[in-house]
Every structure is written in structure tokens, then in C-alpha cells.
Amino acid sequence: MSQDIFGIQAALKSLGIKDLHQGASTGMEWIKTSGDVISSYSPVDGLLIGKVNAAKQDTYDAVVNIANQAFSQWRQIPAPKRGEIVRQVGDRLRGKKEALGKLVSYEMGKSLQEGLGEVQEMIDICDFAVGLSRQLHGFTMHSERPQHRMYEQYHPIGIVGIISAFNFPVAVWSWNAMIALICGDVCIWKPSEKTPMSAIACQQILSEVLKENNIPEGVSNLLIGDFRIGELMSHDPRLSLISATGSTRMGKKVGAAVGARLGRALLELGGNNAIIISETADLKMTIIGAVFGAIGTAGQRCTSTRRLIIHERIYEDVKSRLKEAYNQLKIGSPLDPANHVGPLIDQNAVELYLKAIVQVKKEGGKAVVEGGVLNGKGFQSACYVKPAIYEAENSFEIVQAETFAPILYLMKYTTIEEAIFIQNNVPQGLSSAIMTSNLRESELFLSHMGSDCGIANVNIGTSGAEIGGAFGGEKETGGGRESGSDAWKYYMRRQTNTINYGTDLPLAQGIQFGF
Ligand code: UN1
């Protein structure tokens, strides 16, 4: 970089990012890999951040073998002691928050504040996992037989494969890895090949802690490569759980491969999230929630707000307030705190954004705020686009699909039942919200007659879920739950135990078997 005004070089240095990396690590030395070279270019200014030799099948097999050996040792460490390791990871992340947040922002293109927020989510999940490491409890129940005790317990499940997406290059890995680690599992992480440097930085941080504690290699592994690594993982019966975050297209492939071998899959896929804006909504709050949901991370969150379902009586008012808010948006380098919107991840994303705009108009949509690619001064790469708003019908093909870009569709409703119908009438089921001051409406929205999504909010937007809740959604979103609440149960195998402490052997269901 000619003028490093945002201190990127210092951040890269403090995270140990070099010009060329190997694409595989078992937590000790980096393993020499011989795959194609992956180059990571920043969407912020188009400059090269670094290169990685991708992992291939031979490296993959070596890493799985090492992980397998590590599992037999890691699971013997008591869970609270595993929690102590995760506590140290959280502390190390606190020390690296500034640098890692900056790298995430620079490599992914989200605002620095969001990059720091993502690292904060990692710290929070570490804290959550530390507490959980003393609470991996099962139920006890009363046996129908005398002098019998029955209870259930949770055991580590084995190797957890984590496939993560570019949009949350570090946090989503930590939601999975920190929980898996306290559960006694070992992990193999395949990050998005669009954000390999952020993954390398995380692996270095975690490896330091593991080494300092004399933990054997293979507990936390990294494999950087393209979809072929994901395919190997999905088909491999040695990986007990595959937790995959990304598009519905990818998830269907992963789900089918894992299902064919009767493995366990945790899928967190596409969303098509809507906010219902009731005529009783507080419009000041509504505009903040809707605009942040639509343009935050340049519309590249799985929880991004894609549709606003607005009561007909306030439709024009909301429309003009949105227009006014969009006029004030500052687009440019996400490292500059004055800007609200950064670039899309790459040229391919820009093309999909442009295609969606052509299609919504072809289907009859009308521009409220017209989109377009931005170039010229202040736009140092070709990935900057204008957040756009279109009036559209929910039935449009393009509205039914998830476009990972800042495009917001507006539609009208008359009754709350109709609004809920529209909100649910898409293939995806991740996040949803209602802005209302009417108790009846909000309770209906949250009831079994209401939102069919995994996340349903009242008077906050669709994005920005906290780590303490279980995160995920229904229908084409894949059905998985990760992060908080009791999502840890996915990462363990459940065992029911019945113990007879008497001197007879009575059979269950009253069966007599005397001889
Ligand atoms: C994602 O986009 O895959 O709720 C995860 C949010 C974030 C997580 C998004 N905490 O917006």
C-alpha cells in the first residue's frame, strides 16, 4: 500500500500474516501444501493481501488422521479444563481485537466497526463456552423398574468439520469451534477461499494458546482450499458432524452428501428476511432498523433485511423516509468510520447485484432509490455499489431469491394476517421482525400462526443476533442451530443409561421370560 493511513500493514504484521502461506495447519507447524495458489485481494482497494498454497487430498487425509489421534487425547481432558483453554483463547482475542477486526474489515469489506463487532462475538462465544464447560448436563428420569436408575449423558462426538462463508470470516467459525472444543471434539475448519487471511490469523492465535498449554496437535485444524475440500469433508464418515454456513445451493450438496452416509449436518443457509411495519410502528426506530438491516455489511449477511412489508396507510410515509435516509448514506472505504457502506466482496457479487436489478425491473418493479456501480474518486476497487430500493411484488422470482447485496424490496399490506402470509411466503426461513406498538399484532406474529422463521423479533431489525441465542432457521435455511442456548447438543452424542442395582432382572414393559 502506498499510503497506509488505516494501519493495515501494522495489523497484518501483528497477526503474523506473510506474503505466502501454506494452506493447512494442525495447530503446530504449517503443513507444506501443493494445491493451486489462492490470492486474497482486498475489495477495499483491490490490493493483494497475501497468497496461500491450497490444500489437496493428500494433505486432507494427513490432517484427518492427526485430528483422529488428537480426539482420543483431547476428550480425556475434563470439560472445565478444556474450558480453561477456551478462556485463554478469549483473552488472546481481546488483545488482538483491534488488529483482527481491521484485517476482517480489509479482507471482507465490512465496516471497521462491524469487523471489531465480529471479533467481539468471538470473545463473547469464548466466555459463553467457558461457562458451558461446567454445564454439559443431561436429565435423570425415573425407571419403571424397581431398583433401577436411568439417566442420560452427553459424550464428545468426534471430528467436527466447519465450513464457513466469507461474510463472517471469523465469528461463525468461533461459534462452532469454541463450543465443539469444550464438548471434547476436535475441529477441521475450511474457511471461505475469499477470506483466507482472516482464517490464518485465527489459526495462529488459537495455535499459540494450544502450544502454550502443551495440547497435542490436531485439536484445531485448518484446511484452506476450494469446494473440493468441502466435498471431501462432506463425504467422509470420519467427520461425525459437518457444520456448514453459506448458500442454500451449497447446503443442499453438503446435506445430501452427509445424509447419504447418515452423518450429522448442521446447516445455516440463505435467508430472505422481512420486517413487517405496522401502522402503529415507531417510525424513527423502524427506519434505523430497516436501513441497518438492508445496508449493513453491504447486504451480505444471511440476516440482512431484504423485504419491507408495510401497512398501506403508512406506505408512502415510510417510502419517503427511507429515500431521505438512503440519500444521506456515505459509501466508501469501510476502514473510514465516516462511511456507512463498504464494497461487495468481489466482481462476481457486483454482477449478481446488477442482474438482480435488471430482473426486478423486468418483472415490473419500480425504483425508489436506483442502484448502480460506483466508480471514481473514493472508490478504490470496482466492488462499490449503491444501496438500492425497489417496489416489488412478493411473488417476483427475484424477490423469492436471496441476492447477497444491498437491495431492498418494498411491498404493501392491508391486514396483519396478510402481512404474515407474505413474510412466510418465501422458500427461506432465517430471520424476521415486526415493528409495532400493538400487543395483539406482536403476539400473533410470535405465535404458531405467525413467523415461520428461526428468529422472530419485535421492534428490532432482522440482523445482529446475539451469540447467547440459538442461531439458525427453517425451510431452505437448513434447520440447524449454532452458537448459544442448547445448540451445544448438536456437538455431542447422547447416551441413555439404565443401571440395575437390585438382585433381580425385571424386564421392561412387564415381559416375563422365566426359565
Ligand atoms: C451470517 O450472516 O451468517 O445476526 C451470520 C447477525 C450476525 C450473524 C450473521 N450476528 O447478523
Side-chain angles (χ1 to χ4, degrees):
M1 276 186 110
S2 47
Q3 276 178 307
D4 188 15
I5 48 170
F6 297 114
I8 292 298
Q9 293 310 318
L12 295 180
K13 203 165 158 222
S14 95
L15 295 165
I17 299 297
K18 297 177 298 205
D19 292 339
L20 180 67
H21 284 270
Q22 302 305 329
S25 158
T26 54
M28 291 293 136
E29 300 315 314
W30 289 85
I31 301 171
K32 218 168 163 21
T33 40
S34 56
D36 301 338
V37 172
I38 296 173
S39 300
S40 176
Y41 292 97
S42 168
V44 175
D45 54 16
L47 297 177
L48 182 69
I49 307 174
K51 292 182 180 176
V52 188
N53 283 325
K56 291 209 308 200
Q57 171 117 32
D58 49 346
T59 323
Y60 172 82
D61 281 326
V63 167
V64 175
N65 286 334
I66 294 168
N68 222 354
Q69 285 163 23
F71 176 54
S72 60
Q73 297 180 45
W74 179 245
R75 65 182 164 182
Q76 291 185 49
I77 298 174
K81 295 231 157 62
R82 298 193 294 253
E84 164 56 20
I85 307 288
V86 168
R87 189 192 64 74
Q88 293 176 34
V89 174
D91 277 354
R92 198 60 55 101
L93 285 167
R94 282 180 171 87
K96 299 275 183 188
K97 181 174 171 183
E98 199 65 34
L100 186 57
K102 217 172 251 184
L103 170 58
V104 166
S105 168
Y106 187 57
E107 190 174 38
M108 186 276 156
K110 64 174 67 177
S111 75
L112 178 58
Q113 201 47 47
E114 290 181 59
L116 295 169
E118 191 174 336
V119 182
Q120 187 58 46
E121 277 195 30
M122 302 175 83
I123 295 166
D124 294 343
I125 199 76
C126 286
D127 287 354
F128 181 86
V130 175
L132 200 56
S133 70
R134 291 181 186 270
Q135 300 173 73
L136 302 172
H137 52 249
F139 289 120
T140 63
M141 37 315 244
H142 288 263
S143 169
E144 66 188 46
R145 288 168 282 185
Q147 297 183 304
H148 279 56
R149 184 163 73 83
M150 193 156 70
Y151 74 107
E152 55 187 24
Q153 53 178 338
Y154 289 85
H155 294 308
I157 201 173
I159 305 178
V160 175
I162 304 166
I163 299 173
S164 64
F166 75 87
N167 64 335
F168 274 80
V170 294
V172 171
W173 161 70
S174 70
W175 294 355
N176 286 280
M178 298 310 138
I179 301 291
L181 288 177
I182 59 107
C183 288
D185 302 326
V186 298
C187 306
I188 298 179
W189 178 22
K190 184 216 145 337
S192 165
E193 64 268 40
K194 294 178 184 176
T195 49
M197 295 303 149
S198 301
I200 285 169
C202 290
Q203 180 70 4
Q204 313 221 108
I205 290 169
L206 189 60
S207 299
E208 272 170 31
V209 174
L210 294 173
K211 277 187 215 165
E212 283 165 18
N213 288 276
N214 296 316
I215 303 297
E217 68 170 334
V219 167
S220 181
N221 307 280
L222 176 66
L223 280 170
I224 297 174
D226 61 18
F227 70 96
R228 283 171 291 191
I229 294 291
E231 272 177 8
L232 288 171
M233 291 166 75
S234 308
H235 287 281
D236 191 340
R238 294 173 294 178
L239 273 59
S240 310
L241 167 67
I242 299 290
S243 174
T245 304
S247 67
T248 294
R249 216 176 105 243
M250 175 280 292
K252 282 183 176 168
K253 286 192 189 144
V254 171
V258 176
R261 62 175 172 90
L262 299 181
R264 193 183 289 182
L266 191 170
L267 302 174
E268 201 265 280
L269 312 173
N272 194 345
N273 319 299
I275 303 179
I276 296 174
I277 305 175
S278 144
E279 59 179 322
T280 67
D282 176 327
L283 290 188
K284 200 164 156 257
M285 278 163 58
T286 301
I287 299 300
I288 297 171
V291 175
F292 176 71
I295 64 103
T297 329
Q300 298 169 107
R301 291 192 191 206
C302 53
T303 51
S304 290
T305 307
R306 313 219 173 273
R307 298 173 294 145
L308 295 183
I309 306 164
I310 309 165
H311 192 275
E312 59 186 4
R313 256 184 244 135
I314 53 161
Y315 183 84
E316 291 303 326
D317 189 9
V318 172
K319 194 168 102 179
S320 69
R321 286 179 195 236
L322 282 168
K323 232 171 152 168
E324 204 186 306
Y326 269 53
N327 278 337
Q328 289 166 35
L329 289 179
K330 292 204 173 63
I331 309 158
S333 170
L335 293 160
D336 181 345
N339 292 326
H340 302 103
V341 192
L344 289 175
I345 184 70
D346 57 17
Q347 282 297 296
N348 187 40
V350 174
E351 268 157 44
L352 292 173
Y353 158 88
L354 290 173
K355 258 186 163 160
I357 291 176
V358 169
Q359 199 183 329
V360 72
K361 288 197 262 189
K362 212 168 90 191
E363 291 192 69
K366 273 199 234 81
V368 175
V369 176
E370 186 58 280
V373 177
L374 295 163
N375 36 44
K377 207 172 165 293
F379 305 113
Q380 288 178 286
S381 81
C383 300
Y384 290 86
V385 300
K386 258 187 88 189
I389 307 179
Y390 297 91
E391 293 182 292
E393 299 287 334
N394 199 54
S395 57
F396 289 179
E397 218 177 290
I398 193 65
V399 175
Q400 292 281 313
E402 178 190 47
T403 305
F404 237 42
I407 303 176
L408 184 63
Y409 303 117
L410 308 187
M411 49 204 81
K412 265 184 215 165
Y413 79 88
T414 310
T415 67
I416 184 67
E417 289 77 13
E418 182 194 357
I420 291 170
F421 178 81
I422 296 171
Q423 126 75 32
N424 289 342
N425 199 17
V426 288
Q428 310 82 352
L430 179 56
S431 187
S432 59
I434 187 167
M435 305 299 288
T436 182
S437 305
N438 182 321
L439 177 82
R440 287 186 181 148
E441 282 180 348
S442 75
E443 289 295 322
L444 181 68
F445 176 74
L446 298 173
S447 79
H448 61 99
M449 301 291 285
S451 165
D452 64 3
C453 292
I455 298 171
N457 296 333
V458 176
N459 290 337
I460 60 169
T462 59
S463 69
E466 299 178 21
I467 60 101
F471 184 86
E474 305 302 334
K475 302 191 292 188
E476 283 197 357
T477 304
R481 293 294 184 279
E482 49 194 6
S483 187
S485 185
D486 66 350
W488 61 270
K489 289 181 178 170
Y490 271 87
Y491 301 79
M492 302 199 86
R493 63 184 172 85
R494 180 178 189 150
Q495 188 174 65
T496 303
N497 307 110
T498 311
I499 300 154
N500 177 359
Y501 59 91
T503 52
D504 291 328
L505 183 57
L507 302 177
Q509 296 92 41
I511 291 173
Q512 298 298 328
F513 185 67
F515 61 90

